[in-house]
Amino acid sequence: MFEELQIKGVYTYFKHNAWIKSTSKKTIKVYSPNDFKLAGEIQAVTKEEADEVIRNCSWAQQSWNSLPIQERASYLYKTADLAEKNYTFIAQILMKENGKSLLDAEDEVLRSAALLRQTAEEGLRLREELLRGDAFPQFRRGKLALVRRVPFGVVLAIAPFNYPINLAVSKIAPALITGNTVVVKAPTQGAISLLHFVELFRMAGLPPGVLNVITGSGSEIGDYLVQHNGVHMIAFTGSTKVGKRISQLAGINPLLLELGGKDAAIVLEDADLDLTVKEITAGAFSYAGQRCTAIKRVFVLDSIADRFAQKLVTAVEHLRVGSGEDTVVCPLISKEAGNYIQELVDDANKHGAKQILCKFRNNNLWSPVIFDHVNEQCRILWEEQFGPVLPIMRVKTAEEAIALTNRSEYGLAACVFTKDIEKALKIADQLDVGTVQINGKSARGPDHFPFPCIKSSGLGTQGIKYSIEAMTRIKNVVLNLH
Ligand code: NAP
Ligand code: G3H
């Protein structure tokens, strides 16, 4: 099974249910963020090979779509079963490749299995509508609209490094259940884990051509794929920079874009500080803050700021740092990522923010950093840090916190901590973000919740039912009874 993924130590790409060696002879080395040792080599697939994959995928779509939906669902169920049987093995690969803790890596695989199952179930529940013509003036009763939901055709799914399996599966599952076929562009750092997960679909007996994976650097093959006329819909999760580029290149193809975030936590005077600190600690520092939904800035009311900052430092000091199984703060994905965060840290120091926690930085392994008294001049208040650094800014009023939260190019999520639910709801109304969490850290899950993005955080809404909607179009069939 998994041995077939490699030829002479190089991971192959996946086409027509077979693991294929690229003719490019060009490979990309993937190094583990844990120790910079080689995790494996993947291939740079050529444009001609990508053409063939997409052609093949398009060819498979008609027969896939004509299967009873129950049969399509059965492949998702079987793959979920296999994921649960093999989760430890795949999680270990993910841990090595992306520096996640084993617990987080296992969680990603198991979460993906659950996502497959629930997407299959939601697909089976998909409703189509019948509209009567005589509901509109001067139209007859015999005119009926059958409002169908049909697949687009070939979906191009692009996932980021931080959830290479889960954010690929969150696109593959809704696409497949609704009768689309899929070409995945694997994230380079994350490709090896994803290829292993895709082998599970093959083991589940998915018909050839229905799911395919292209590997290679996004900067080399990405533009070609997103402009390809054999692609009918693009679902992308990744940085705002690449997302904006895709939206410029993709023409009139439908897009689902989940991009960067700068989630703020607003802490009001009456917040339960123990709960708030617990949520903000997890929200800001798990997976070293390399989550789009990580809490990336805190606005706290002046009157409680000292107590809050003190409690937060105490809580964060106890986090375990390293690459072991039970660590919370992991290595950053690359040295370059660490260098960018260092730039933001230096800038905050330069602009008078007060560093209240920082123990060490060893290459790409950082212990958590907390800044208090951050001001508007600090870049870290506005730029997405994607690392374990949390800026706190003290504010005089809730209105000031709302204004600062909204003065961001991003609009993914925000959190409000207060015991006054009425006040929280009023604030939630005023925040320009996709999701507001009241008394909880921001998070994408549970995966059947909607995960909407606005502003530079993206376009459209992910989430089981919502992704199914996003991956189908409406087709209207009008019946005229005379
Ligand atoms: P990224 O650099 O944008 O890469 C994302 C994916 O796009 C990778 O598979 C990458 O391939 C590919 N890619 C790169 N250039 C491309 C191009 N020109 N055309 C098409 N695809 C291209 O993002 P990342 O560093 O992996 O992930 C971190 C970012 O993703 C953060 O900004 C984070 O906030 C965001 N994110 C958002 C969400 C959300 O749901 N809103 C979830 C997770 C992450 P290569 O790996 O080969 O470069
Ligand atoms: O990195 C972005 C992911 O969509 C975040 O997912 O909130 O489950 O960690 P998460």
Side-chain angles (χ1 to χ4, degrees):
M1 45 193 252
F2 293 114
E3 303 79 48
E4 290 176 32
L5 270 66
Q6 294 183 55
I7 297 178
K8 292 190 183 154
V10 175
Y11 288 96
T12 45
Y13 71 100
F14 190 62
K15 183 189 81 175
H16 209 68
N17 271 12
W19 295 101
I20 311 280
K21 189 173 175 210
S22 169
T23 55
S24 73
K25 297 197 174 77
K26 195 173 157 194
T27 61
I28 304 168
K29 290 187 164 67
V30 179
Y31 294 97
S32 171
N34 295 328
D35 52 13
F36 295 107
K37 289 196 179 137
L38 191 66
E41 276 182 75
I42 57 166
Q43 305 178 104
V45 166
T46 66
K47 289 180 180 164
E48 293 69 29
E49 286 165 339
D51 287 342
E52 210 183 309
V53 167
I54 294 170
R55 219 178 6 254
N56 217 263
C57 186
S58 177
W59 166 86
Q61 196 262 331
Q62 224 175 2
S63 51
W64 174 247
N65 187 36
S66 65
L67 290 181
I69 191 163
Q70 278 192 57
E71 200 175 326
R72 290 204 297 271
S74 72
Y75 294 109
L76 303 194
Y77 288 128
K78 279 183 215 155
T79 308
D81 292 345
L82 288 164
E84 279 164 356
K85 278 197 192 116
N86 293 282
Y87 80 94
T88 316
F89 176 68
I90 296 181
Q92 274 162 353
I93 296 165
L94 181 57
M95 177 174 72
K96 185 170 166 193
E97 190 178 18
N98 281 26
K100 281 196 169 180
S101 70
L102 185 60
L103 287 178
D104 280 349
E106 287 177 345
D107 182 64
E108 176 165 350
V109 182
L110 291 174
R111 178 180 181 177
S112 304
L115 184 57
L116 280 167
R117 238 181 236 119
Q118 293 216 0
T119 307
E121 280 161 25
E122 190 67 34
L124 295 173
R125 285 197 289 264
L126 191 68
R127 298 275 180 271
E128 295 177 324
E129 275 186 321
L130 188 147
L131 300 183
R132 42 194 294 171
D134 64 350
F136 199 88
Q138 292 171 16
F139 279 87
R140 290 181 310 108
R141 188 187 173 121
K143 195 180 258 305
L144 298 169
L146 306 177
V147 186
R148 313 291 321 271
R149 279 220 162 254
V150 297
F152 286 110
V154 172
V155 169
L156 173 63
I158 307 178
F161 81 82
N162 65 340
Y163 282 93
I165 294 174
N166 184 259
L167 283 168
V169 170
S170 70
K171 299 164 181 56
I172 294 169
L176 293 188
I177 194 67
T178 49
N180 295 284
T181 49
V182 181
V183 175
V184 180
K185 150 68 186 92
T188 294
Q189 192 96 30
I192 300 170
S193 328
L194 176 57
L195 292 173
H196 281 80
F197 197 94
V198 166
E199 170 65 3
L200 305 178
F201 282 96
R202 196 188 67 84
M203 286 158 65
L206 197 72
V210 168
L211 174 64
N212 310 271
V213 186
I214 287 174
T215 53
S217 165
S219 57
E220 286 177 22
I221 193 86
D223 285 2
Y224 187 72
L225 295 176
V226 301
Q227 294 179 92
H228 203 288
N229 60 14
V231 166
H232 307 115
M233 190 268 170
I234 301 170
F236 170 83
T237 304
S239 63
T240 294
K241 184 170 161 227
V242 175
K244 282 186 174 169
R245 180 167 179 79
I246 291 175
S247 74
Q248 281 160 5
L249 297 178
I252 54 171
N253 264 349
L255 295 176
L256 185 57
L257 299 176
E258 306 277 345
L259 312 176
K262 189 71 190 170
D263 294 4
I266 299 176
V267 185
L268 301 185
E269 279 132 331
D270 65 344
D272 173 338
L273 277 194
D274 289 331
L275 172 108
T276 305
V277 161
K278 183 169 157 264
E279 291 292 313
I280 291 182
T281 301
F285 298 108
S286 50
Y287 191 34
Q290 298 175 111
R291 298 163 53 243
C292 59
T293 46
I295 293 178
K296 297 191 177 109
R297 49 198 182 138
V298 175
F299 298 115
V300 58
L301 269 287
D302 250 339
S303 54
I304 51 155
D306 285 341
R307 269 196 307 137
F308 167 74
Q310 208 172 38
K311 273 180 179 282
L312 186 68
V313 167
T314 309
V316 176
E317 268 179 334
H318 288 98
L319 294 179
R320 280 166 300 221
V321 179
S323 55
E325 188 175 319
D326 57 357
T327 49
V328 183
V329 182
C330 311
L332 295 170
I333 196 68
S334 63
K335 289 177 190 161
E336 293 72 32
N339 291 341
Y340 174 61
I341 291 162
Q342 185 66 54
E343 215 181 290
L344 296 181
V345 165
D346 293 343
D347 174 81
N349 278 318
K350 191 175 102 193
H351 286 99
K354 194 170 157 207
Q355 204 163 311
I356 55 171
L357 182 69
C358 174
K359 286 190 184 153
F360 70 92
R361 174 192 175 185
N362 182 9
N363 243 329
N364 63 333
L365 182 61
W366 284 55
S367 69
V369 177
I370 302 178
F371 277 102
D372 196 356
H373 297 282
V374 170
N375 56 64
E376 290 180 40
Q377 275 73 51
C378 301
R379 284 168 57 196
I380 197 145
L381 204 63
W382 312 110
E383 296 179 29
E384 189 187 32
Q385 62 264 45
F386 233 60
V389 181
L390 183 65
I392 302 172
M393 182 170 170
R394 296 171 177 227
V395 292
K396 291 197 170 47
T397 60
E399 288 66 35
E400 191 186 345
I402 295 167
L404 285 160
T405 301
N406 289 343
R407 188 147 40 95
S408 166
E409 71 159 308
Y410 297 105
L412 195 58
C415 327
V416 184
F417 291 93
T418 171
K419 288 188 190 124
D420 185 340
I421 297 301
E422 204 173 322
K423 197 192 290 172
L425 289 172
K426 280 190 186 141
I427 293 177
D429 266 357
Q430 297 172 69
L431 293 173
D432 299 334
V433 294
T435 301
V436 179
Q437 297 272 349
I438 297 174
N439 293 327
K441 64 180 162 57
S442 48
R444 175 165 47 101
D447 290 348
H448 65 296
F449 280 14
F451 187 56
C453 307
I454 62 167
K455 304 204 280 190
S456 289
S457 290
L459 195 68
T461 301
Q462 200 173 275
I464 294 176
K465 167 171 168 282
Y466 310 91
S467 298
I468 284 179
E469 284 170 5
M471 290 188 181
T472 48
R473 65 181 170 84
I474 284 177
K475 181 166 188 180
N476 190 17
V477 179
V478 180
L479 192 58
N480 292 280
L481 301 176
H482 297 282

